[in-house]
Amino acid sequence: MKKNDQFEVTIEDMSSEGLGIGRRDGFVWFIKDTVVGDHVLAAATKVKKTYGFARLVRVLTVSPDRVEPPCPIARRCGGCQLQELSYPAQLRFKSEKVYNNLLRIGEVEEDVLRRAFEPIIGMEHPLRYRNKAQFPIARDRDGNIIAGFYAGRTHSVIRCEDCLLGVQENKRILEIILTWIKTYGIEPYHEESGRGIVRHVLIRKGFASGELMVCLVINQDKLPHQEELVRAFQEAGDIRLRSLNYNINKERSNVIMGRELVNVFGPGYIEDSIGSVRFRISPLSFYQVNPVQTAEMYGAALEFADLHGTENVWDLYCGIGTISLFMSQRARHVYGVEIIPEAIEDARQNAELNGISNAEFYVGAAEEVLPEWYAKHPEERIDVVCVDPPRKGCDERALDTIVSMAPERLVYVSCDSATLARDVKYLRAHGYELKRVRPVDNFPMTVHVETVALLTRTK
Ligand code: SAH
C-alpha cells in the first residue's frame, strides 16, 4: 500500500483523538471523519510499517451511530472531533476510554473496576455549553475581515461567527466588533508579517450571573477608537456588557494573551457562581469552561470527600480555588496550592468575597510545596487530599508525600484518564484502593472527558 491508494475498511474503534480505526491485512488505519460502525472507502495519506493514516473518500455503509454534524464546519475546524457521532455514542466512547485506561494502564482488576465504575454524567443539551470563546480576527483570501477558528493543525482562520459550543451572544458581539473594525479601518493582525492590530476577541459569560465580558487582544499599547467601540455597544442596545478590556500582546508567538491588561469600561471582571460559591473572573483567570458540568464534577468530588466539618483538606493544583472554596464550607480547614501566582491572588480574593476564612493558599509546585509543608507539620492530621492536575498527571514526589501523609480519602479529578490510570496504579501499590470512578462529560463533541475518582486508604 502506498500514498493515495484506495481501499475499503470497516471502522471498529476510535482513537483517543477521535480518529476512526479500521484493520485490514494486519494493518491498522486511522481515518479522520469516520465513526465506529461505518464501512468506508478511504485513501492512504501516510503509510508506516504496521499502521497508516487515510482520508475518508466516501461512506459506503453508514453506521447506526453516525449523525449529521450540527455545525457546518465541523470537519474543517479543529475544535470538535466527535460531531458526527451521536451523543449517546459519544458518552459510550468516553466511558469506555476511561474504563479501558484504568484496566490496561492502571492494571486495575476487572472485579475492582466494575464495582467502582459509575455511569458517565452527560449533558441534557450538549451544545452551547462553553462560557468562554476566543476568536482570531484575520483577513481571508479575498481580503474580507473575518472572525473564526483555526482549521485543525493550521494557522489559517476559517470564518465562523457562531460556534455551536459557545453562547448565542458571541455572534452579535462579533458583529458589533467587526463593524467597528471596518468602519475605522483597523487592521487585523497578520501572523506572518507580525503587522496589524486586532489579534483575538475573547468573550466570557457568567452562566449564573448572565454577565458578559469582552477582551480584545491587540498588537500595540493603545486600543484605537475605543470610545467609538463603547458607543457601538451602547447603540446596539441588545448586548449589555459588564466589562470591556484590552490585552496587549506584541509577541510573535501563538500564545493568545499577553500579560498586560487595560480596562476600557466596567470593573475589569465579571462575577459568576457555582453552587453557592461566587467567583470573580478576569480575562486572564483560569475558569472551568462548562459551568453546568463543573457543578456535577465538583458535586462528585464533594460527595467522594465525605466531609463533616471536622476535616483538614489539601487541594493540589487548585487554580483559582474553586474546589478548595467548595470544600471549605464543609471542612475544618482547606489548604490549596497552585503554580500560577495570579490564580492564587484570585483564590484569596474569592475566599474573601465569600467570607471564607478557613482556606489558605500557597503559590508553588505541588511537588515542592507539599513535601516542605509536611516536613514542617508532621503532626497535623490530613483527612482528605484532592488533586486536579493538568494532563500530565501528578508528579511522583507529590504522590509520595500524599502517601506519607496518609489521608483516609484521596479524591482525584482528572482531565486525562491515561495519566489518572498511571497514578492509580502507583497509589494502589502504596496502600490505597480505587473505590469509585465517575466520568463527567465536560466537553461534548470533543474527545475530552473528565473523571472523578475516589481512593481510600487500606492500611
Ligand atoms: N482545580 C482547578 C484548576 C485545575 S487545572 C479548577 O477546577 O478550576 C490544573 C491547575 O494546575 C492549573 O491551574 C495549573 O496552573 C496548575 N498546575 C500545573 N502544574 C502544577 C504544579 N506542578 N503544581 C501546582 N499547580 C500546578
Side-chain angles (χ1 to χ4, degrees):
M1 197 75 78
K2 56 186 191 310
K3 197 171 167 178
N4 292 327
D5 280 356
Q6 296 201 352
F7 57 92
E8 283 186 28
V9 68
T10 300
I11 305 301
E12 296 160 4
D13 206 348
M14 287 178 87
S15 76
S16 49
E17 293 83 39
L19 303 177
I21 300 177
R23 290 179 181 81
R24 218 189 111 110
D25 313 323
F27 218 74
V28 183
W29 289 104
F30 295 91
I31 309 169
K32 188 179 169 296
D33 306 323
T34 65
V35 305
V36 176
D38 280 343
H39 184 73
V40 302
L41 180 66
T45 51
K46 197 185 251 178
V47 188
K48 301 274 191 186
K49 262 208 183 107
T50 56
Y51 69 96
F53 294 88
R55 77 185 155 75
L56 173 66
V57 176
R58 196 161 61 241
V59 181
L60 301 172
T61 313
V62 177
S63 163
D65 292 326
R66 177 178 274 283
V67 293
E68 190 64 34
C71 168
I73 61 159
R75 282 192 183 179
R76 282 186 296 149
C77 168
C80 295
Q81 303 85 30
L82 300 181
Q83 276 208 15
E84 297 183 68
L85 195 59
S86 73
Y87 191 56
Q90 290 183 26
L91 292 176
R92 251 185 287 132
F93 164 74
K94 294 185 188 192
S95 180
E96 279 166 19
K97 175 158 109 172
V98 175
Y99 188 94
N100 288 329
N101 280 338
L102 286 166
L103 188 70
R104 301 202 180 117
I105 304 171
E107 293 176 18
V108 182
E109 299 77 13
E110 282 235 68
D111 58 324
V112 175
L113 192 52
R114 253 195 236 122
R115 234 176 293 137
F117 210 83
E118 300 174 13
I120 184 167
I121 302 178
M123 293 193 81
E124 198 180 335
H125 305 291
L127 291 171
R128 303 238 179 254
Y129 60 81
R130 282 184 64 99
N131 59 13
K132 169 180 149 180
Q134 309 177 113
F135 297 89
I137 306 295
R139 278 188 188 273
D140 68 9
R141 270 196 219 116
D142 306 322
N144 303 310
I145 298 174
I146 56 165
F149 290 98
Y150 294 112
R153 292 166 204 273
T154 74
H155 285 275
S156 56
V157 177
I158 307 172
R159 178 169 181 185
C160 176
E161 276 130 38
D162 186 24
C163 168
L164 294 181
L165 303 192
V167 297
Q168 231 115 25
E169 289 93 333
N170 289 344
K171 181 168 187 254
R172 185 69 186 113
I173 290 171
L174 288 173
E175 262 170 26
I176 294 169
I177 292 174
L178 287 175
T179 305
W180 165 82
I181 286 177
K182 290 169 194 164
T183 307
Y184 297 98
I186 301 166
E187 195 52 34
Y189 180 68
H190 182 250
E191 236 178 19
E192 267 129 61
S193 67
R195 281 205 281 266
I197 299 169
V198 183
R199 298 175 73 132
H200 272 86
V201 174
L202 172 110
I203 304 169
R204 267 182 162 169
K205 181 181 180 184
F207 274 43
S209 65
E211 295 183 358
L212 283 162
M213 166 166 68
V214 168
C215 181
L216 276 79
V217 184
I218 60 170
N219 184 34
Q220 59 184 37
D221 293 321
K222 273 206 147 10
L223 181 68
H225 301 283
Q226 63 180 55
E227 294 79 22
E228 287 83 353
L229 181 58
V230 173
R231 206 179 318 127
F233 275 107
Q234 282 163 350
E235 279 167 8
D238 52 349
I239 293 290
R240 301 241 341 260
L241 282 191
R242 170 97 169 113
S243 197
L244 177 66
N245 308 285
Y246 66 90
N247 173 274
I248 302 163
N249 183 3
K250 293 191 266 188
E251 299 292 319
R252 298 281 298 267
S253 78
N254 54 14
V255 176
I256 295 179
M257 303 287 275
R259 295 195 72 83
E260 205 182 327
L261 201 61
V262 183
N263 190 214
V264 177
F265 83 80
Y269 57 80
I270 54 169
E271 279 190 8
D272 196 28
S273 49
I274 304 174
S276 57
V277 185
R278 277 160 69 205
F279 294 97
R280 185 169 288 182
I281 308 148
S282 95
L284 291 171
S285 312
F286 173 87
Y287 188 59
Q288 294 277 351
V289 296
N290 182 335
V292 172
Q293 294 303 87
T294 297
E296 295 287 347
M297 198 168 77
Y298 292 170
L302 200 61
E303 184 188 328
F304 291 1
D306 191 23
L307 300 173
H308 300 276
T310 56
E311 294 84 358
N312 293 325
V313 179
W314 262 98
D315 177 18
L316 310 185
Y317 315 89
C318 70
I320 59 167
T322 24
I323 295 177
S324 319
L325 297 180
F326 230 62
M327 294 202 169
S328 69
Q329 298 171 318
R330 296 214 210 144
R332 194 181 82 84
H333 201 85
V334 179
Y335 302 94
V337 57
E338 157 65 45
I339 206 159
I340 297 176
E342 289 83 359
I344 289 295
E345 269 166 47
D346 285 345
R348 290 181 181 139
Q349 272 198 5
N350 287 328
E352 211 175 286
L353 186 70
N354 289 280
I356 291 169
S357 55
N358 61 337
E360 193 179 323
F361 296 99
Y362 295 89
V363 180
E367 60 274 18
E368 285 165 17
V369 171
L370 195 66
E372 280 164 28
W373 182 90
Y374 181 54
K376 282 191 209 133
H377 305 85
E379 301 304 323
E380 188 165 336
R381 194 193 73 243
I382 296 298
D383 305 279
V384 175
V385 173
C386 177
V387 302
D388 184 7
R391 283 193 199 156
K392 67 172 194 273
C394 294
D395 188 290
E396 210 169 281
R397 282 174 291 165
L399 293 179
D400 245 353
T401 312
I402 295 172
V403 168
S404 313
M405 290 164 92
E408 285 306 316
R409 291 178 294 287
L410 199 157
V411 180
Y412 197 132
V413 181
S414 161
C415 57
D416 184 335
S417 56
T419 58
L420 165 70
R422 180 201 66 203
D423 292 347
V424 162
K425 184 177 166 188
Y426 182 91
L427 290 162
R428 289 185 78 228
H430 291 83
Y432 283 84
E433 184 51 292
L434 184 65
K435 289 291 185 188
R436 301 181 73 174
V437 179
R438 191 181 297 169
V440 183
D441 188 19
N442 278 30
F443 312 105
M445 309 298 149
T446 80
V447 290
H448 303 293
V449 58
E450 296 271 340
T451 308
V452 188
L454 170 67
L455 292 112
T456 60
R457 202 159 74 94
T458 52
K459 54 173 192 271

